[in-house]
Amino acid sequence: MKLEDIKTIAMYGAGTIGGGFAAYFALKGLNVNVYVRSEGSIERAKPKIQEAVDTYVKYGLVDNGDGIWAKIKFTTDPAEAFTGVYFVQENGAENLEQKHQMVATMEQYLPVDAIIASSSSGTPVTQIASEAKHPERIIVAHPFNPAYLLPLIEICGGEKTSPEVIEFARAFYKKYDKAPVVLNKEKNGFIANRLMHALWREEIALVTEGVCSMADCDDAWTFGPGIRLAAFGPSLHYELGGGDLGLKGCAIKFGAMTDAVFADISDMKKVPDTWADQSGEEIGPLMENLPDVIGHTKPEIADFRDKVIIDVLKLHKRM
């Protein structure tokens, strides 16, 4: 199997993630077989795909959605979906028994050297592949929502995953303008969710301790490090901010301050019991007081998010 020989891929499932993936890879020119288990599932999948297509049209990535829809084929027949297909994105629920059933279904029809990439956000790939005939071709390829825009793909192999499969998957996602990162070993939460949870834990701590409001904490992130991180990661920013010694200089100059923050930063092991009610009470006023350019309803806010993401991706030449 060669990368350039892959003209058709498959989606197993087309909810929020699978539908977004289907639209994205069709946008990039691939034929996409979308396998779901019932006609009702097809009807539920179409709006998920249309949401992504509407975004592409609205922001000028395509003139209309006809070309994208022409690349997508729905089927409830696994033989039609997977026969002769060399790359499948599995988008099932976080249920190990279901994932085993899905793998078994796919392996009935896929070529032996086809790759199964799971969108799992929590189930370890070693467990997903534990009953597979060919566990060496199974990986986790975890996206970041919205999958139809954000390039990040976190690739993780299991105990029996072939290194060649991981490298092929990395090349595949790069070819279609995704930004794959590879974990050298399995880790709960992968990379990005662990980083996000560290940030989120500290925001919860700051708000529940009365240090600041949720709105001010969000603004502190958005209009400070958030904007910088849209360019590149923290290591490069510290390299720029460390003078002639770069990153090493930051470690020397700011070591004491960093130690002081580390000593005081939250290490909470569970979400406070009060957080659900407190956050629920604060999010309404936060949304009401957003600038009009962002909007005040969830659809308006999501639309602004997508516009910002697309503008940033255009700067990175990824969209």
Side-chain angles (χ1 to χ4, degrees):
M1 174 181 54
K2 295 180 180 179
L3 191 59
E4 57 269 23
D5 294 333
I6 296 180
K7 307 298 183 185
T8 299
I9 64 171
M11 296 290 139
Y12 193 138
T16 299
I17 297 299
F21 265 140
Y24 179 82
F25 286 111
L27 171 72
K28 294 296 180 178
L30 286 168
N31 298 309
V32 184
N33 295 341
V34 177
Y35 172 70
V36 290
R37 288 177 286 186
S38 70
E39 293 295 330
S41 295
I42 292 176
E43 294 309 309
R44 289 189 292 273
K46 288 179 179 177
K48 302 294 185 183
I49 297 173
Q50 189 63 53
E51 178 183 346
V53 172
D54 288 345
T55 298
Y56 297 152
V57 173
K58 182 172 183 176
Y59 292 108
L61 301 178
V62 291
D63 292 334
N64 59 65
D66 294 348
I68 294 175
W69 282 108
K71 292 282 188 180
I72 297 172
K73 179 173 69 175
F74 292 98
T75 181
T76 58
D77 180 358
E80 183 179 25
F82 304 123
T83 300
V85 171
Y86 285 90
F87 202 98
V88 182
Q89 192 83 38
E90 172 267 300
N91 308 290
E94 296 295 333
N95 179 295
L96 185 58
E97 182 179 353
Q98 288 184 23
K99 289 195 181 294
H100 286 166
Q101 293 171 351
M102 296 167 79
V103 169
T105 297
M106 288 184 279
E107 287 199 314
Q108 289 183 59
Y109 305 101
L110 291 172
V112 294
D113 53 346
I115 293 174
I116 297 174
S118 175
S119 298
S120 171
S121 58
T123 308
V125 65
T126 294
Q127 293 182 21
I128 294 171
S130 63
E131 297 182 3
K133 295 177 181 177
H134 297 283
E136 72 280 356
R137 45 97 166 266
I138 299 178
I139 60 171
V140 160
H142 177 248
F144 223 57
N145 196 43
Y148 58 86
L149 289 179
L150 286 177
L152 178 64
I153 300 288
E154 298 177 303
I155 298 175
C156 184
E159 292 175 358
K160 298 182 179 179
T161 304
S162 163
E164 289 76 19
V165 165
I166 291 174
E167 288 309 309
F168 188 95
R170 188 207 296 259
F172 170 82
Y173 288 116
K174 277 188 174 181
K175 178 179 173 66
Y176 295 103
D177 297 320
K178 289 294 188 181
V181 297
V182 174
L183 283 78
N184 295 322
K185 60 182 179 179
E186 295 182 87
K187 190 72 170 176
N188 185 32
F190 310 112
I191 301 171
N193 269 330
R194 294 182 70 89
L195 295 172
M196 283 298 301
H197 275 76
L199 167 68
W200 186 229
R201 177 172 67 176
E202 190 61 24
E203 177 156 345
I204 292 172
L206 290 169
V207 174
T208 56
E209 291 171 10
V211 175
C212 61
S213 68
M214 183 189 294
D216 283 345
C217 206
D218 272 18
D219 279 353
W221 181 254
T222 299
F223 297 113
I227 291 177
R228 293 197 318 191
L229 290 174
F232 35 72
S235 297
L236 283 174
H237 285 295
Y238 283 120
E239 175 68 16
L240 295 179
D244 292 340
L245 291 178
L247 184 59
K248 181 179 179 180
C250 283
I252 296 170
K253 291 192 294 184
F254 305 129
M257 181 198 73
T258 301
D259 288 346
V261 174
F262 279 4
D264 189 53
I265 208 163
S266 173
D267 63 353
M268 69 171 66
K269 302 303 182 186
K270 69 179 293 292
V271 178
D273 294 337
T274 58
W275 178 246
D277 288 338
Q278 184 176 0
S279 61
E281 291 168 0
E282 290 207 27
I283 194 65
L286 188 158
M287 292 170 64
E288 290 171 10
N289 291 317
L290 288 171
D292 290 343
V293 68
I294 296 177
H296 306 282
T297 66
K298 287 184 180 180
E300 291 171 343
I301 295 167
D303 182 60
F304 181 80
R305 174 203 65 190
D306 288 357
K307 181 181 185 302
V308 170
I309 291 172
I310 288 170
D311 285 347
V312 170
L313 291 178
K314 285 180 177 179
L315 289 172
H316 282 281
K317 307 297 184 185
R318 289 187 178 272
M319 188 62 74

